[in-house]
Amino acid sequence: MNKLIVLWLICSFSAGVFAKDFAEDKQERLIANLLNQQVKQQISLKNSISSILTNYPEQVDIVLQVALDEYPSQYKAIMLGAMEAEPVLACEVIEIVLNAKVANASEIVSIAVEAEPAYAQEIVSAAALNSPADLEDFVRIAILTEPVVSQAVVTNAATSFPDQILSVLLGAIKAVPEKVSMFVKDTIALFPTDSEAIVTHAVNSSDEKHTSTIVNTAIQAGLDEQAAINAAIAGGAKAEELAQNQ
C-alpha cells in the first residue's frame, strides 16, 4: 500500500511539473509569435514590449527572455520598452538583461539609469548583486549618466555593500572628482570608524589640489586633526604642504 502511495505521489508531481513546463512553453511561443507579428507590421520592438507589459507586468520574466532570445542585438529597445511600461520594473529588467549577457554590464546600467534616473540607486544595487566586483564601475557609470543622483547612489551603495565602501568612494570620485569633499563627508557620516581609511583612499585617488579640502572635511566630520593629517600622508600627501595649509 505504501509503495502505491509513493508511486501515486511521484506520478502526480511529475504530471504537475510537466503541466507547468508545457504552460510556460506555450506562453513563450505565444509571446514570440506576437512580437514577430508586430515587428513584421512595422511596430517597433520597444513599443511592442511596452504594450505587452503595460497589460501584463507580471509576465516581465517571460516577455524579456523571449525578446532577448529573438532579438539579442536590440537589448536597448527591449529595456526601454519594459521600463516605459512599468518604471518600477527597472531592477527586474537589469537582472534579466545582465543574466542574458547580451551586452557589457556597465552599458546596461547606463541605459537603465538614463531611462529611469529616479531608480538609479536601486539599479546600481541590482547590478552589483549580479556582479559585486564591478560595483565601483557601476557607481561611476550611474553618476556620470545622471550626476544629480550622485549623493543618493553613493549613500545607498555604501550602506548596501558596507564591505566595499572604498570601491563606492573611488567610483564616485572618478565620476565627479570636484565633489570629492562631499563624498568624503557623506561616507564618513555613514562609517565614522573608517574615517582614516576613507581619507587615505580619497587623497590617494584625487588630484593634489583637493588634499587640504579632504583633510579639513574629515576634521569637520569629527576625525581628530592629527589622525586626518596622518591618514592623508598615508595616501600620498606631503607633510610640509599639509602643515602650511592648516
Side-chain angles (χ1 to χ4, degrees):
M1 183 65 178
N2 288 339
K3 289 182 179 180
L4 287 174
I5 292 172
V6 171
L7 182 61
W8 179 80
L9 288 171
I10 291 172
C11 291
S12 298
F13 176 77
S14 299
V17 170
F18 176 79
K20 182 181 177 183
D21 289 344
F22 179 78
E24 288 181 358
D25 183 60
K26 187 177 179 181
Q27 276 187 318
E28 288 175 7
R29 282 187 280 112
L30 285 171
I31 290 167
N33 289 335
L34 178 60
L35 287 175
N36 289 328
Q37 285 173 8
Q38 293 196 11
V39 169
K40 286 178 182 177
Q41 293 169 6
Q42 305 301 310
I43 299 172
S44 73
L45 184 59
K46 173 178 173 289
N47 289 342
S48 296
I49 296 291
S50 180
S51 175
I52 294 170
L53 289 179
T54 296
N55 293 299
Y56 306 102
E58 72 281 359
Q59 300 291 344
V60 62
D61 284 357
I62 293 176
V63 172
L64 262 63
Q65 285 164 7
V66 168
L68 290 167
D69 285 342
E70 295 283 319
Y71 308 97
S73 65
Q74 296 190 52
Y75 56 87
K76 182 174 182 179
I78 293 168
M79 290 177 64
L80 294 178
M83 288 186 286
E84 181 181 274
E86 290 285 341
V88 75
L89 294 176
C91 292
E92 288 182 74
V93 171
I94 278 284
E95 291 172 17
I96 294 165
V97 179
L98 284 173
N99 286 329
K101 301 187 186 303
V102 291
N104 178 275
S106 295
E107 184 186 357
I108 291 170
V109 169
S110 179
I111 291 169
V113 171
E114 186 175 8
E116 290 298 335
Y119 288 91
Q121 58 196 50
E122 291 87 356
I123 289 167
V124 168
S125 291
L129 286 171
N130 183 280
S131 183
D134 294 322
L135 177 59
E136 176 193 314
D137 201 40
F138 295 151
V139 169
R140 179 183 66 82
I141 289 294
I143 294 174
L144 281 174
T145 304
E146 191 59 57
V148 74
V149 302
S150 59
Q151 250 180 313
V153 167
V154 169
T155 298
N156 187 71
T159 51
S160 298
F161 304 92
D163 57 331
Q164 294 195 63
I165 57 171
L166 298 183
S167 293
V168 172
L169 180 61
L170 182 56
I173 292 171
K174 284 183 176 179
V176 194
E178 298 302 319
K179 289 187 177 181
V180 60
S181 61
M182 180 189 78
F183 297 138
V184 167
K185 178 184 176 183
D186 291 346
T187 311
I188 287 177
L190 292 170
F191 302 95
T193 57
D194 294 308
S195 296
E196 292 174 58
I198 291 167
V199 170
T200 297
H201 203 62
V203 169
N204 185 253
S205 307
S206 303
D207 190 282
E208 190 177 323
K209 66 182 180 181
H210 296 301
T211 299
S212 293
T213 304
I214 292 169
V215 171
N216 289 332
T217 297
I219 293 169
Q220 290 167 11
L223 183 60
D224 174 77
E225 181 177 343
Q226 192 57 54
I229 291 172
N230 291 341
I233 292 170
K238 297 176 182 176
E240 57 273 19
E241 290 183 4
L242 284 174
Q244 291 172 5
N245 292 318
Q246 293 305 307

